[in-house]
mmCIF file of all heavy atoms in Angstrom:
data_model
loop_
_atom_site.group_PDB
_atom_site.id
_atom_site.type_symbol
_atom_site.label_atom_id
_atom_site.label_comp_id
_atom_site.label_asym_id
_atom_site.label_seq_id
_atom_site.Cartn_x
_atom_site.Cartn_y
_atom_site.Cartn_z
ATOM 1 N N LEU A 355 164.568 262.533 53.667
ATOM 2 C CA LEU A 355 165.490 261.482 53.207
ATOM 3 C C LEU A 355 166.047 260.719 54.410
ATOM 4 O O LEU A 355 166.423 261.324 55.412
ATOM 5 C CB LEU A 355 166.650 262.131 52.433
ATOM 6 C CG LEU A 355 167.556 261.169 51.663
ATOM 7 C CD1 LEU A 355 166.880 260.697 50.379
ATOM 8 C CD2 LEU A 355 168.903 261.804 51.325
ATOM 9 N N ARG A 358 171.769 257.557 55.620
ATOM 10 C CA ARG A 358 172.328 256.328 55.052
ATOM 11 C C ARG A 358 173.761 256.137 55.533
ATOM 12 O O ARG A 358 174.515 257.117 55.607
ATOM 13 C CB ARG A 358 172.351 256.427 53.522
ATOM 14 C CG ARG A 358 170.998 256.341 52.867
ATOM 15 C CD ARG A 358 171.077 256.940 51.480
ATOM 16 N NE ARG A 358 170.007 256.518 50.588
ATOM 17 C CZ ARG A 358 168.747 256.921 50.642
ATOM 18 N NH1 ARG A 358 168.349 257.740 51.588
ATOM 19 N NH2 ARG A 358 167.867 256.488 49.745
ATOM 20 N N ASN A 452 174.695 267.137 51.091
ATOM 21 C CA ASN A 452 174.241 265.959 50.362
ATOM 22 C C ASN A 452 173.015 266.416 49.585
ATOM 23 O O ASN A 452 171.881 266.257 50.042
ATOM 24 C CB ASN A 452 173.890 264.830 51.339
ATOM 25 C CG ASN A 452 173.276 263.637 50.626
ATOM 26 O OD1 ASN A 452 173.338 263.527 49.400
ATOM 27 N ND2 ASN A 452 172.669 262.741 51.394
ATOM 28 N N PRO A 453 173.238 267.041 48.422
ATOM 29 C CA PRO A 453 172.114 267.639 47.699
ATOM 30 C C PRO A 453 171.355 266.559 46.919
ATOM 31 O O PRO A 453 171.841 265.431 46.810
ATOM 32 C CB PRO A 453 172.816 268.593 46.732
ATOM 33 C CG PRO A 453 174.096 267.895 46.391
ATOM 34 C CD PRO A 453 174.498 267.160 47.664
ATOM 35 N N PRO A 454 170.182 266.892 46.381
ATOM 36 C CA PRO A 454 169.534 265.940 45.473
ATOM 37 C C PRO A 454 170.464 265.701 44.288
ATOM 38 O O PRO A 454 170.958 266.670 43.716
ATOM 39 C CB PRO A 454 168.272 266.688 45.018
ATOM 40 C CG PRO A 454 168.096 267.815 45.977
ATOM 41 C CD PRO A 454 169.456 268.166 46.474
ATOM 42 N N TYR A 455 170.730 264.447 43.944
ATOM 43 C CA TYR A 455 171.687 264.223 42.852
ATOM 44 C C TYR A 455 171.308 263.117 41.869
ATOM 45 O O TYR A 455 172.119 262.704 41.048
ATOM 46 C CB TYR A 455 173.096 263.995 43.392
ATOM 47 C CG TYR A 455 173.326 262.838 44.349
ATOM 48 C CD1 TYR A 455 173.101 261.515 43.972
ATOM 49 C CD2 TYR A 455 173.848 263.078 45.616
ATOM 50 C CE1 TYR A 455 173.370 260.475 44.850
ATOM 51 C CE2 TYR A 455 174.115 262.045 46.500
ATOM 52 C CZ TYR A 455 173.878 260.738 46.108
ATOM 53 O OH TYR A 455 174.148 259.712 46.968
ATOM 54 N N LEU A 456 170.076 262.639 41.930
ATOM 55 C CA LEU A 456 169.707 261.608 40.947
ATOM 56 C C LEU A 456 169.381 262.265 39.605
ATOM 57 O O LEU A 456 168.885 263.390 39.548
ATOM 58 C CB LEU A 456 168.518 260.789 41.448
ATOM 59 C CG LEU A 456 168.752 260.025 42.756
ATOM 60 C CD1 LEU A 456 167.577 259.076 43.038
ATOM 61 C CD2 LEU A 456 170.060 259.245 42.754
ATOM 62 N N THR A 468 163.233 253.814 47.802
ATOM 63 C CA THR A 468 163.572 255.217 47.510
ATOM 64 C C THR A 468 162.358 255.957 46.945
ATOM 65 O O THR A 468 162.202 257.156 47.165
ATOM 66 C CB THR A 468 164.762 255.280 46.532
ATOM 67 O OG1 THR A 468 165.758 254.373 46.974
ATOM 68 C CG2 THR A 468 165.358 256.664 46.467
ATOM 69 N N GLU A 471 160.591 257.986 49.348
ATOM 70 C CA GLU A 471 161.277 259.168 49.894
ATOM 71 C C GLU A 471 160.927 260.393 49.042
ATOM 72 O O GLU A 471 160.520 260.264 47.891
ATOM 73 C CB GLU A 471 162.787 258.925 49.932
ATOM 74 C CG GLU A 471 163.156 257.806 50.915
ATOM 75 C CD GLU A 471 164.654 257.601 51.053
ATOM 76 O OE1 GLU A 471 165.244 256.898 50.213
ATOM 77 O OE2 GLU A 471 165.234 258.149 52.001
ATOM 78 N N ALA A 475 164.203 265.599 47.602
ATOM 79 C CA ALA A 475 165.517 265.298 48.192
ATOM 80 C C ALA A 475 166.396 264.505 47.240
ATOM 81 O O ALA A 475 167.572 264.275 47.522
ATOM 82 C CB ALA A 475 165.339 264.508 49.484
ATOM 83 N N LEU A 476 165.820 264.074 46.119
ATOM 84 C CA LEU A 476 166.522 263.144 45.225
ATOM 85 C C LEU A 476 166.816 263.733 43.847
ATOM 86 O O LEU A 476 167.836 263.427 43.236
ATOM 87 C CB LEU A 476 165.659 261.887 45.013
ATOM 88 C CG LEU A 476 165.284 261.093 46.258
ATOM 89 C CD1 LEU A 476 164.170 260.095 45.933
ATOM 90 C CD2 LEU A 476 166.499 260.364 46.820
ATOM 91 N N GLU A 506 178.507 265.189 49.218
ATOM 92 C CA GLU A 506 178.207 263.787 48.894
ATOM 93 C C GLU A 506 177.870 263.744 47.406
ATOM 94 O O GLU A 506 177.236 264.652 46.874
ATOM 95 C CB GLU A 506 177.016 263.252 49.704
ATOM 96 C CG GLU A 506 176.603 261.868 49.177
ATOM 97 C CD GLU A 506 175.723 261.057 50.104
ATOM 98 O OE1 GLU A 506 175.751 261.287 51.328
ATOM 99 O OE2 GLU A 506 175.008 260.178 49.577
ATOM 100 N N ARG A 538 182.067 258.515 46.762
ATOM 101 C CA ARG A 538 180.972 259.090 47.568
ATOM 102 C C ARG A 538 181.202 260.532 47.992
ATOM 103 O O ARG A 538 180.261 261.253 48.303
ATOM 104 C CB ARG A 538 180.749 258.215 48.828
ATOM 105 C CG ARG A 538 179.512 258.539 49.618
ATOM 106 C CD ARG A 538 178.241 258.402 48.830
ATOM 107 N NE ARG A 538 178.025 257.049 48.413
ATOM 108 C CZ ARG A 538 177.207 256.690 47.424
ATOM 109 N NH1 ARG A 538 176.502 257.587 46.771
ATOM 110 N NH2 ARG A 538 177.094 255.423 47.066
HETATM 111 N N1 LIG B 280 171.821 258.215 47.928
HETATM 112 C C1 LIG B 280 170.476 258.403 47.479
HETATM 113 C C2 LIG B 280 170.103 257.283 46.531
HETATM 114 O O1 LIG B 280 170.921 256.820 45.793
HETATM 115 C C3 LIG B 280 170.291 259.734 46.806
HETATM 116 C C4 LIG B 280 170.433 260.825 47.771
HETATM 117 C C5 LIG B 280 170.508 262.164 47.110
HETATM 118 O O2 LIG B 280 170.022 262.408 45.998
HETATM 119 N N2 LIG B 280 171.118 263.052 47.787
HETATM 120 O O3 LIG B 280 168.974 256.853 46.538
#
Side-chain angles (χ1 to χ4, degrees):
L355 191 77
R358 288 159 160 74
N452 174 14
Y455 59 62
L456 299 189
T468 314
E471 294 184 277
L476 301 166
E506 171 163 336
R538 190 59 64 199

